[in-house]
Amino acid sequence: MSRTPQRRAAVVGTGHRAQTFTRALAERPGHRVAALCDPSPTRMAFHNRLLADRGAPPATQWEPDRFTDMLTQEGIDEVVVTTVDAEHDRYIVPALRAGCRVVTEKPMTIDADRCARILDTVGDTGNSLTVAFNYRFNPVHETVRDLLADGAIGEILSVHFEWLLDVRHGADYFRRWHREKRHSGGLMVHKAGHHFDLVNWWLADEPRDVFGYGRLGFYGRAAGERHGLRRDYVRAHGADQAADDPYALDLAADDTLRALYLDAEPDNGYLRDRNVFDGPVTIEDDMAVLVRYARGATVTYHLTAYSPWEGYRGMFNGSAGRLELEVEESRWQRPRTRMGSSSGALHGDTAAEHAGGARLTLRALWQPPVDLPLVTAHEAHGGGDPRMLDALFGPVGPARPADTGTAARTAAHLTATERDGALALTVGLAANQCFETGRPVDVRELIPALRERPGGQGGQVQAR
């Protein structure tokens, strides 16, 4: 009996999030992680241990400057990009030109020039780029989309979308590379890009005009001193001042964080546990945005990165009623002295302590409200990660013939293309520009290629 040929994959960027893809590829018979690419040999060695734990052969280890050599010499078929956001295009573009299938973590990139370069490369090569917007694969979010698409509230006229990061999760963006906008694009790009993609997908529409305000009001040195929260240390490891600081992260207390970051510091000097109330911090922690869509709907959006509870609310107003979604991912957080781990619960991999529930209510005009049944999970980003990985790479075990068509339809319905990635990015970029200028922005002026390339919104995978 012949074996199915394996696709040779490369994982580029071997930090915490990359574990999801390294494990997923190792567990699927049609794929092999043939190469790892990262400036840190320590982190790549950690990922090779993940492969060994799953009985997979070791991957070769490559420095970023030799990425194109790696593609050729290792015979790479597919590339998964999980680097610092500002570096995504550095790998996406040559991988597409080499004929590889490319999957990139969100955001697709962090600015208009990089985005245009990616779109042009996809257009020139006709090769496949997928943006890993795992929130689309959350069954709750799919239920919302299906209801709206089926006309449950008629024509959608307006949306209010509020996202709250609690003081454990939110703080983590302010102790690592995300706190500098030149690396991450700020939370409007790195985090809210998830949310803008959801709204684009839910509405099956494209954003046109954006206005917003944002500020750094809780984290950073000035705010920390103003609120009496700042302790005098640069990074938590080895700092006496951090010993009883609930905002400090103890890298040494978690085996994974120690292996990926503390042990890897000699490789490139990256510090994963910086003081959230110290500088430099160039991103915002409180952001309010107004978006007008092509068909006229308006969306008000607010992101708070210092909330006592974690979750989100989406309220949809239509010509036939209102749909209300509320999800409590964590109802509250206890003040822990020197947080032992920021993996897992903080970033949606596992259920948070004091996890709440989800509620979806349909309020049709002239009718009593109805609470609709939901399939919910708090781990794996609301159950989205395993569904996304199945759509991207196939099931872990052999697929039954009856499942093949369903899986293909799910992938086409939920998977995000490069255009979807660009449309989510433009809202965040426009918001960032508003924060600086105080003036509204036409998103089509940011990335003209979006005007020139008609394409399906809402995650429809276009034929290539």
Side-chain angles (χ1 to χ4, degrees):
M1 180 177 179
S2 62
R3 296 182 60 186
T4 301
Q6 288 186 315
R7 294 179 63 85
R8 292 176 64 81
V11 177
V12 188
T14 53
H16 191 275
R17 177 60 178 165
Q19 295 176 89
T20 298
F21 294 97
T22 298
R23 292 192 185 103
L25 290 164
E27 291 167 351
R28 286 163 168 81
H31 304 264
R32 175 186 169 183
V33 180
L36 301 166
C37 183
D38 194 283
S40 170
T42 304
R43 285 197 288 271
M44 289 191 285
F46 177 88
H47 278 255
N48 262 326
R49 292 195 293 274
L50 294 179
L51 294 174
D53 289 344
R54 282 152 182 78
T60 56
Q61 299 182 186
W62 292 79
E63 296 178 355
D65 288 344
R66 299 194 62 206
F67 176 71
T68 54
D69 293 336
M70 180 200 74
L71 295 177
T72 301
Q73 294 183 30
E74 297 293 345
I76 298 300
D77 301 301
E78 56 189 356
V79 174
V80 178
V81 180
T82 57
T83 64
V84 170
D85 299 343
E87 295 285 302
H88 284 184
D89 67 304
R90 176 182 177 184
Y91 304 103
I92 291 171
V93 168
L96 289 172
R97 295 202 180 280
C100 299
R101 179 213 183 189
V102 184
V103 175
T104 183
E105 255 297 338
K106 59 80 194 166
M108 186 172 75
T109 187
I110 67 161
D111 64 34
D113 289 343
R114 288 177 170 95
C115 182
R117 184 171 175 239
I118 291 170
L119 293 177
D120 288 344
T121 304
V122 172
D124 292 344
T125 64
N127 288 334
S128 172
L129 174 63
T130 301
V131 184
F133 282 125
N134 55 0
Y135 281 2
R136 290 183 176 213
F137 292 84
N138 181 328
V140 171
H141 301 159
E142 188 178 9
T143 297
V144 170
R145 185 183 189 277
D146 290 346
L147 285 165
L148 296 176
D150 289 344
I153 60 170
E155 179 188 357
I156 303 167
L157 303 175
S158 67
V159 180
H160 175 66
F161 195 23
E162 177 185 27
W163 202 285
L164 301 127
L165 301 171
D166 66 35
V167 285
R168 298 191 70 215
H169 186 178
D172 207 43
Y173 295 106
F174 294 84
R175 62 171 64 96
R176 50 194 177 133
W177 57 263
H178 304 75
R179 69 197 231 155
E180 295 182 60
K181 197 169 285 190
R182 65 190 178 95
H183 294 313
S184 67
L187 290 179
M188 283 288 93
V189 170
H190 177 82
K191 185 63 180 176
H194 260 317
H195 314 151
F196 298 143
D197 176 69
L198 273 180
V199 175
N200 297 346
W201 182 64
W202 279 332
L203 299 184
D205 201 0
E206 298 189 356
R208 287 291 179 260
D209 301 298
V210 175
F211 182 69
Y213 290 110
R215 65 179 296 204
L216 182 64
F218 185 80
Y219 300 104
R221 187 184 186 107
E225 290 177 345
R226 188 168 69 248
H227 302 306
L229 296 172
R230 185 177 181 275
R231 310 289 183 90
D232 189 17
Y233 62 92
V234 174
R235 53 91 54 94
H237 184 67
D240 293 340
Q241 286 284 332
D244 62 347
D245 184 359
Y247 292 92
L249 174 65
D250 188 355
L251 292 173
D254 181 88
D255 290 341
T256 298
L257 293 180
R258 173 188 281 278
L260 283 174
Y261 300 108
L262 192 60
D263 293 348
E265 286 179 13
D267 294 344
N268 58 4
Y270 172 58
L271 303 180
R272 175 66 176 77
D273 61 345
R274 287 182 286 180
N275 185 349
V276 301
F277 299 115
D278 199 9
V281 177
T282 58
I283 67 173
E284 299 81 14
D285 56 26
D286 193 294
M287 295 137 278
V289 178
L290 174 64
V291 187
R292 183 179 66 84
Y293 277 75
R295 293 201 297 270
T298 56
V299 175
T300 55
Y301 170 83
H302 201 283
L303 176 62
T304 303
Y306 53 89
S307 171
W309 70 281
E310 176 133 329
Y312 49 100
R313 298 184 180 101
M315 310 296 174
F316 305 83
N317 299 301
S319 60
R322 177 178 166 96
L323 185 67
E324 301 174 346
L325 171 67
E326 180 169 292
V327 178
E328 286 185 308
E329 293 182 338
S330 175
R331 300 183 67 238
W332 67 285
Q333 288 289 351
R334 67 177 74 248
R336 294 179 175 176
T337 302
R338 297 198 69 177
M339 194 184 313
S341 172
S342 72
S343 60
L346 275 193
H347 295 281
D349 297 333
T350 61
E353 185 181 30
H354 307 304
R359 181 176 178 181
L360 183 63
T361 303
L362 177 62
R363 299 180 183 273
L365 295 179
W366 313 112
Q367 297 180 37
V370 178
D371 287 331
L372 302 173
L374 291 173
V375 176
T376 61
H378 287 285
E379 66 280 357
H381 294 95
D385 278 347
R387 299 182 75 212
M388 179 186 73
L389 295 169
D390 283 350
L392 293 178
F393 307 120
V396 172
R400 296 177 303 174
D403 295 335
T404 304
T406 300
R409 287 190 296 273
T410 298
H413 179 57
L414 302 178
T415 303
T417 68
E418 72 284 340
R419 183 177 178 85
D420 298 317
L423 288 167
L425 173 66
T426 57
V427 181
L429 294 181
N432 282 338
Q433 186 171 316
C434 293
F435 299 164
E436 294 180 4
T437 67
R439 294 191 294 272
V441 175
D442 180 342
V443 301
R444 292 167 295 180
E445 298 301 320
L446 292 176
I447 305 175
L450 285 173
R451 292 201 306 266
E452 299 161 6
R453 295 177 187 273
Q457 225 304 307
Q460 298 302 312
V461 178
Q462 301 171 51
R464 299 197 184 281

